[in-house]
Structures are given as structure tokens and as C-alpha cells.
Amino acid sequence: MLPPALAPIHVIVVPIWKTPEDKQIIESYIENKITTPLKKSSLSISSKYLGDIQELVRISIDRDDQKSPGRKYAEYELK
């Protein structure tokens, strides 16, 4: 696990839905309630080696329909 200042991604969102209508609602929610506020957020990091830095939160959304959510979770835990 990398420290926040070095990590390429801080937040991973794995959306889960059953119907196309659910998918549309969830995509809208992710954009309005998660992605937009996090893009405006920053992490305050105090490091012995890097000093005090402000790091923007980096977010990724896994929209791959070919893998199950459990498999996605396992892959991200391994990363």
C-alpha cells in the first residue's frame, strides 16, 4: 500500500446495478455526489521525507461490465 502522496489512485468506485434504469441512477449519483465533491477535495499530508504537501484526491470509477464486483474488489485489494 503506497502512501497517499505516491498512490496513483486514492478512491476506487465500483458501481453495482441490476437494471439499465438502476445503472443510470447510480451513474448520476456517482457523478453528482461522489466524483464532483472529491475532485474539489485535497489531502493534507505531512511527511518526514516530502514535507507538508496538499494533494488533490485522485478517483477512478470501474465501469467494466465483464467482471463481477467481488472480482473487482479482490483485484483492487491486491493492487
Side-chain angles (χ1 to χ4, degrees), residues 15-78:
I16 301 171
W17 64 86
K18 286 189 174 192
T19 65
E21 294 82 21
D22 289 346
K23 181 179 179 180
Q24 189 175 21
I25 292 168
I26 290 169
E27 289 288 338
S28 173
Y29 183 86
I30 288 170
E31 184 64 35
N32 296 327
K33 301 290 185 176
I34 297 174
T35 306
T36 302
L38 280 179
K39 284 183 180 177
K40 297 175 185 175
S41 300
S42 64
L43 299 171
S44 298
I45 302 167
S46 179
S47 169
K48 176 177 164 182
Y49 301 104
L50 300 173
D52 294 335
I53 53 177
Q54 290 287 103
E55 185 72 31
L56 291 175
V57 176
R58 292 183 293 268
I59 183 169
S60 177
I61 301 168
D62 190 336
R63 293 183 170 97
D64 185 2
D65 291 342
Q66 303 303 313
K67 298 178 187 172
S68 70
R71 183 172 178 184
K72 292 178 189 181
Y73 299 150
E75 287 178 2
Y76 288 115
E77 285 180 23
L78 290 174

